[in-house]
Amino acid sequence: MRVVSRVLGWLVVIALLLCLLIPGFIAFRVWYVARADDRAPADAIVVLGAAQYNGIPTPVFQARLNHAATLFEEGVAPQVITVGGNQPGDLYTEAGSGRSYLTQLGVPPESILAVETGTNTVGSLEAVAMTVKDQRGQSVVLVSDPTHSYRSQMMASDAGLDARTSPTREGPAVWTRENQIMSIIRETGAVLWYQYHRIAGTDVDFPG
């Protein structure tokens, strides 16, 4: 009986350690990938969508689009892909709003492709993967907020893309240390949620 109690005690300790170590490791990976900035040549620059209002990107979305325009000017890829559908009642999609904004920044319209589907990151990246593969491409540079980079890269890789990340360093998502810490915490939970659904083989319904 004493041996059984000891074994159960160790199992509880191990379970508690795993409950601490796994989220801690993921939080570290979120932070680590957020620091990456890979601008090696690729087939396309992919801008992850964010909210827009009446066709005008929010400051968060604008920061991503500004960075994507910079990457295009640097010759990182010959094409920029904007992604994201719309919410019920919206007249504009995130992808369409992003395309319009990029043309105002001087990116040639023929170099911008709007993939106007997907209400979350995984759905948008699956649509992007199909589009890039149809063009016989494979490599993409993902543009999003720094702490969103790890999860988006994971999802893009799962969709069959050779994905690298070059996050924006501007905008509300990176203005304060508090914003960055809260984003890491949120993304740690989002990665755990995604991994759970991936292991379980069920659809991911996380909104971000």
Side-chain angles (χ1 to χ4, degrees):
M1 193 70 180
R2 190 175 296 175
V3 173
V4 174
S5 297
R6 186 174 299 175
V7 170
L8 289 175
W10 275 110
L11 289 176
V12 170
V13 171
I14 292 171
L16 289 173
L17 285 174
L18 288 175
C19 287
L20 293 173
L21 290 175
I22 292 175
F25 174 75
I26 291 174
F28 170 77
R29 290 294 300 166
V30 169
W31 171 82
Y32 183 80
V33 176
R35 297 164 61 87
D37 187 4
D38 192 335
R39 305 190 183 197
D43 295 314
I45 299 162
V46 178
V47 190
L48 276 299
Q52 56 78 32
Y53 297 107
N54 295 320
I56 301 174
T58 56
V60 169
F61 198 9
Q62 288 182 22
R64 299 179 186 183
L65 293 163
N66 291 338
H67 185 63
T70 298
L71 295 179
F72 179 81
E73 292 171 1
E74 291 178 358
V76 171
Q79 178 178 237
V80 181
I81 299 178
T82 57
V83 300
N86 56 1
Q87 300 298 323
D90 285 352
L91 297 177
Y92 302 89
T93 63
E94 294 174 2
S97 300
R99 177 178 55 192
S100 297
Y101 185 85
L102 284 171
T103 59
Q104 295 174 21
L105 295 179
V107 180
E110 62 271 18
S111 298
I112 308 170
L113 176 62
V115 178
E116 300 178 287
T117 58
T119 57
N120 56 22
T121 304
V122 67
S124 294
L125 286 173
E126 287 174 349
V128 167
M130 292 179 61
T131 301
V132 172
K133 291 174 184 177
D134 286 344
Q135 297 178 339
R136 298 185 179 181
Q138 183 72 26
S139 59
V140 296
V141 173
L142 303 174
V143 176
S144 189
D145 304 328
T147 55
H148 190 219
S149 295
Y150 178 56
R151 181 161 57 101
S152 60
Q153 184 180 38
M154 184 188 306
M155 291 175 172
S157 297
D158 287 345
L161 293 172
D162 174 13
R164 301 185 289 275
T165 60
S166 178
T168 180
R169 305 295 176 187
E170 301 177 355
V174 296
W175 276 347
T176 67
R177 184 69 63 182
E178 181 179 334
N179 284 346
Q180 295 173 32
I181 292 172
M182 292 304 298
S183 294
I184 290 174
I185 293 172
R186 178 183 180 277
E187 279 300 316
T188 298
V191 171
L192 286 168
W193 185 252
Y194 174 69
Q195 292 283 31
Y196 165 76
H197 282 280
R198 185 166 68 167
I199 293 171
T202 55
D203 291 337
V204 180
D205 58 1
F206 192 85

